[in-house]
Amino acid sequence: MLSYFVEQSVNALSLGGTYALLALGLAVVYSILGLINFAHGALMTLTGYVLVFAAAQGLPFVAAAPLAALVVMAGAVLLERVAFRPVRKASGATMLLTSFAVAVLLQLAFQLFISTRPQIVALPSFLTSTVAIGGIAIGANRLMSVAVTVLVLIALNQFLRRTIIGLAMRAAAEDFDVTRLMGIRANRVIATAFALSGLLSAVAAILWIAQRSSVDPMMGLIPVLKAFIAATIGGLGSLLGAVLGGLLLGIIEIYLAAYLPEAALPFHDAITLGIVILVLVARPHGLIAPRRERAR
Amino acid sequence: MALLTVTGLAVRYGAINAVRGVDLAVESGEVVAVLGANGAGKSTTMKAIVGLVPAASGELVFDGESLRGKSTEQIVMGGLTLVPEGRRVFPSLTVAENLALGAATRRDAAAVGRSRAEIYELFPVLAERSRQPAGTLSGGQQQQLAVARALMSEPRMLLLDEPSLGLAPQVVESIFQLILRLRQRGQTILLVEQNAAAALDIADRAYVLANGKVILEGTAAELRSSEQIAEAYLGGRPGQPAHA
């Protein structure tokens, strides 16, 4: 029983960590622009295809993963430049619709130019093996997922505290106009936010794929919906909230799947969302409600 | 030639003409006050100078260069910065982080360090609380931080928008003391105030705005003895002690 619990706990942290990274990616952009970027899921999917493409060129996974992250970061910055910057001063609804449009366009492009069928992503053997800890066998991919999440969170925290552009991003989330009064270029802050969100979506995608070894045009859709839920529980726009919300959602999902009686399993998602609703009834602005004066 | 010259500035918010042809000039080393009632167009004029709101017409020249069409970021990098109304420190960032952002335009880390040391000397309370989130400071301390943050960019000209607004009387006094000290250091300042009496005490010259236009201008001494000013803003006749 204990070993089952430990195993499920690692799974919960692994899934929760991935949700946390995705929710952070959404929150970084939302905190500054007030935009929920639903195209975030398409960036995840793009990561998967870069991995497939790189493997086809004979690149090993350890080289393909950073390459994918770089490509997706550049893609996110490009997306901001061509799709979101022209509507930056428009209403929140316009930006939201733009992000849906981008998400659908990218998904169609993946279907048309690649394939509607899942593509196999070959994983290195160190990810498909299991590690025995105290007699309990745990998937290396799960452990890597937890470790990578922790490392990324530490690095992000340092970036937001130690660099001027990181400070500027936190400042812009609170008061965008005054951030510009510091002589910091608005476009630079926003481009950095998109680059960061691209990086976070790429890392999350790699962790996601490490559990599934395939990518299809719809891959990013569900995880990003979950990340949106996570960011909402956490408090939209709060980075700490996004991490807490992501972890909480992952933990709820995994423990429910592990411990619900068989007859209740079909209601797994309904119960998860029910708990989410209860959290929001108790705390309508989420676990951590941020304050802000956004870019317009 | 003046450091800042504003000629025929007009600003519209939709159908509202907030500023309708303001002319003003500030010489290097001067402290100039802009007075007027609520809604006279004072804050809008300040925001237009730093490009936070677009000018509908008019000319803005700082140190011989037009500011029209420049972004706020470019204007600040050029040495003109605004301490906005309501202080607007970044509340969840620490005092030290707020100050670091004030120096974001400067590349020389050693020089920034010297500025920080100077600022901490000028504002001892900020040194004491450097690791505290700015949102935990009192209103007066936040105003000090807002000014200190602006000074970290080593501006050639400082715009102060209603620095005394919403502060307790003793705190207001200390803020005006601070502006006086900046003045003694030779800092060029354009100061927007509703507290006309206090502003005229520390300014060289002043402009009075009403309905988006300059209705009166002169030296501080002239305006202190002006009947119009006395009745409208100082709550008394000239020659009598002013309680604004």
Side-chain angles (χ1 to χ4, degrees), chain B residues 2 4 10 21 30 55 58 72 91 100 102-103 107 127 137 142 144 171 182 232 234 239 242:
Chain B
L4 174 74
E30 260 191 324
T72 300
R107 290 285 158 267
L137 301 182
Q142 287 188 18
Q144 291 187 36
V171 183
L182 296 180
L234 305 186

Side-chain angles (χ1 to χ4, degrees), chain B residues 112-135:
Chain B
V112 170
R114 283 195 294 278
S115 295
R116 189 186 303 113
E118 244 178 78
I119 288 288
Y120 281 152
E121 210 170 301
L122 195 60
F123 306 90
V125 67
L126 297 184
E128 277 165 38
R129 313 209 160 186
S130 65
R131 288 167 170 278
Q132 246 172 268

Side-chain angles (χ1 to χ4, degrees), chain B residues 17-98:
Chain B
N17 293 314
V19 173
R20 306 187 286 182
V22 162
D23 298 320
L24 60 84
V26 181
E27 301 283 341
S28 190
E30 260 191 324
V31 174
V32 175
V34 177
L35 311 174
N38 239 336
K42 309 185 299 288
S43 284
T44 304
T45 301
M46 301 290 253
K47 283 184 193 154
I49 293 172
V50 296
L52 279 177
V53 297
S57 61
E59 201 37 73
L60 302 157
V61 177
F62 180 68
D63 199 17
E65 269 188 68
S66 173
L67 300 179
R68 284 293 296 275
K70 281 195 181 178
S71 68
T72 300
E73 299 91 304
Q74 289 170 321
I75 292 169
V76 172
M77 281 188 248
L80 182 62
T81 196
L82 167 70
V83 178
E85 182 181 341
R87 306 179 271 285
R88 289 172 72 174
V89 296
F90 303 115
S92 77
L93 273 62
T94 66
V95 169
E97 288 172 338
N98 270 273

Side-chain angles (χ1 to χ4, degrees), chain A residues 161 164 167-168 170-172 174-175 177-187 291 293, chain B residues 50 52 71-73 76-77 81-82 84 88 90-93 97 100-102 104-105 149:
Chain A
R161 284 178 194 285
I164 285 289
L167 289 179
R170 286 164 59 208
E174 292 189 332
D175 198 328
D177 274 351
V178 177
T179 308
R180 298 178 59 204
L181 277 176
M182 304 292 110
I184 296 158
R185 291 207 309 277
N187 284 339
R291 50 158 296 171
E293 306 234 353
Chain B
V50 296
L52 279 177
S71 68
T72 300
E73 299 91 304
V76 172
M77 281 188 248
T81 196
L82 167 70
R88 289 172 72 174
F90 303 115
S92 77
L93 273 62
E97 288 172 338
L101 279 176
T105 53
R149 184 178 63 181

Side-chain angles (χ1 to χ4, degrees), chain A residues 135-294:
Chain A
I136 304 164
I138 292 170
N141 53 357
R142 303 283 154 93
L143 289 177
M144 180 201 72
S145 173
V146 175
V148 167
T149 303
V150 169
L151 285 178
V152 168
L153 292 181
I154 291 172
L156 182 65
N157 188 47
Q158 290 299 307
F159 174 76
L160 292 173
R161 284 178 194 285
R162 302 262 178 260
T163 66
I164 285 289
I165 186 71
L167 289 179
M169 292 184 60
R170 286 164 59 208
E174 292 189 332
D175 198 328
F176 200 86
D177 274 351
V178 177
T179 308
R180 298 178 59 204
L181 277 176
M182 304 292 110
I184 296 158
R185 291 207 309 277
N187 284 339
R188 187 160 162 246
V189 173
I190 292 170
T192 309
F194 273 88
L196 254 188
S197 85
L199 175 65
L200 289 163
S201 92
V203 174
I206 291 165
L207 300 181
W208 190 260
I209 289 164
Q211 326 289 330
R212 288 162 190 79
S213 26
S214 80
V215 50
D216 64 82
M218 311 281 275
M219 182 189 86
L221 203 62
I222 296 297
V224 164
L225 269 182
K226 297 280 177 65
F228 173 59
I229 293 169
T232 308
I233 313 175
L236 261 184
S238 157
L239 302 191
L240 179 61
V243 173
L244 294 179
L247 285 175
L248 183 66
L249 188 64
I251 288 169
I252 294 172
E253 282 195 353
I254 294 287
Y255 283 145
L256 281 182
Y259 290 106
L260 273 184
E262 193 131 358
L265 273 181
F267 304 105
H268 172 249
D269 282 341
I271 297 171
T272 304
L273 291 177
I275 296 173
V276 167
I277 289 168
L278 284 181
V279 171
L280 289 177
V281 167
R283 297 190 67 92
H285 297 288
L287 300 173
I288 292 167
R291 50 158 296 171
R292 74 183 81 81
E293 306 234 353
R294 241 177 266 124

